[in-house]
């Protein structure tokens, strides 16, 4: 995996999916294990503003920390994915690549696109038909922003400041559910 071309203070949509679009999360324990690794490997380099884990892919909205070691960040992302892959291979007796070879990091050059990405990431389970309501998908930061859980992975204060988010949970839930221009996919990928 080549080094990510990240710059301090900038916002990025980071994502990857299963090789051949195959499943990468098989059980709740797999989701939790990935989140533990995400916290361990990336939070010293990146502020996680939003996240969503889907059965065959993941999305992160991040802001690069001012003092991030950018070469170490790429290495740590590689370690996160490879250590998770080894664990899944052992647990399920599989071989070969679990993730696509290149993790993408798309810079979000404007706050408008960053806000749309924030909403898009949280809407992903609903758009994929996995749930009827966003609150039903526990593998995203939506329950934290909607006031349904007190998760600590996301830096909600940084997200509120950077994205000019509402502070009230009900307003936040409405914003996430109703903000997404139809032509946004070209900007986010």
């Amino acid at each position: 995996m080549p080094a990510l071309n990240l710059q301090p203070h900038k916002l990025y949509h980071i994502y990857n999916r299963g090789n051949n679009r195959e499943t990468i999360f098989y059980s709740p324990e797999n989701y939790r294990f990935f989140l533990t690794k995400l916290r361990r490997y990336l939070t010293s380099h990146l502020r996680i503003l939003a996240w969503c884990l889907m059965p065959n892919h993941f999305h992160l909205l991040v802001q690069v920390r001012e003092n991030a070691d950018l070469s170490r960040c790429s290495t740590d992302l590689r370690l996160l994915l490879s250590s998770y892959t080894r664990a899944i291979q052992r647990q399920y007796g599989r071989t070969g690549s679990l993730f696509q070879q290149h993790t993408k990091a798309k810079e979000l050059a404007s706050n408008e696109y960053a806000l749309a990405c924030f909403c898009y990431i949280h809407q992903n389970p609903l758009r994929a038909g996995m749930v009827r309501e966003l609150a039903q998908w526990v593998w995203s930061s939506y329950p934290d922003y909607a006031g349904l859980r007190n998760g600590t992975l996301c830096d909600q204060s940084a997200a509120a400041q950077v994205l000019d988010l509402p502070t009230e949970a009900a307003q936040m839930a409405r914003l996430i559910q109703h903000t997404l221009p139809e032509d946004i996919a070209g900007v986010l990928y």
Side-chain angles (χ1 to χ4, degrees):
M1 179 174 82
L4 298 175
N5 187 20
L6 304 178
Q7 299 299 317
H9 300 290
K10 300 222 175 173
L11 300 175
Y12 294 90
H13 176 208
I14 297 178
Y15 55 96
N16 200 338
R17 65 179 169 202
N19 200 27
N20 296 316
R21 300 177 186 224
E22 293 175 6
T23 298
I24 56 175
F25 302 109
Y26 297 91
S27 70
E29 292 77 24
N30 297 153
Y31 287 98
R32 282 191 285 276
F33 185 65
F34 186 87
L35 291 171
T36 299
K37 294 233 172 240
L38 178 64
R39 182 183 303 275
R40 176 180 173 195
Y41 285 108
L42 296 185
T43 55
S44 63
H45 311 291
L46 307 171
R47 286 183 189 89
I48 310 292
L49 304 183
W51 59 271
C52 184
L53 308 182
M54 298 290 284
N56 70 346
H57 65 283
F58 68 85
H59 295 275
L60 306 172
L61 173 60
V62 302
Q63 181 184 44
V64 180
R65 293 183 184 276
E66 180 178 312
N67 59 349
D69 179 342
L70 299 177
S71 64
R72 184 73 207 173
C73 181
S74 289
T75 299
D76 285 350
L77 178 59
R78 201 167 27 255
L79 287 171
L80 159 67
L81 298 180
S82 65
S83 64
Y84 179 79
T85 296
R86 282 191 306 277
I88 293 298
Q89 288 172 331
R90 276 193 305 272
Q91 185 175 6
Y92 295 100
R94 58 168 284 143
T95 60
S97 298
L98 182 63
F99 292 96
Q100 288 187 339
Q101 192 170 22
H102 301 292
T103 298
K104 307 287 192 233
K106 173 79 175 183
E107 182 182 347
L108 301 169
S110 75
N111 283 0
E112 177 187 1
Y113 291 132
L115 179 61
C117 182
F118 178 84
C119 296
Y120 171 82
I121 285 172
H122 289 123
Q123 290 177 16
N124 215 255
L126 186 65
R127 290 173 167 260
M130 305 287 293
V131 294
R132 291 176 165 255
E133 296 178 17
L134 291 177
Q136 295 173 314
W137 192 254
V138 298
W139 306 115
S140 86
S141 50
Y142 177 82
D144 305 326
Y145 283 102
L148 304 171
R149 178 178 69 199
N150 290 321
T152 59
L153 182 59
C154 280
D155 187 333
Q156 292 186 45
S157 62
Q161 183 179 13
V162 170
L163 302 174
D164 193 28
L165 298 174
T167 55
E168 184 186 315
Q171 289 176 325
M172 177 69 76
R174 280 192 299 279
L175 172 77
I176 291 171
Q177 292 173 24
H178 300 291
T179 303
L180 195 62
E182 288 300 317
D183 61 346
I184 198 64
V187 175
L188 300 180
Y189 291 101

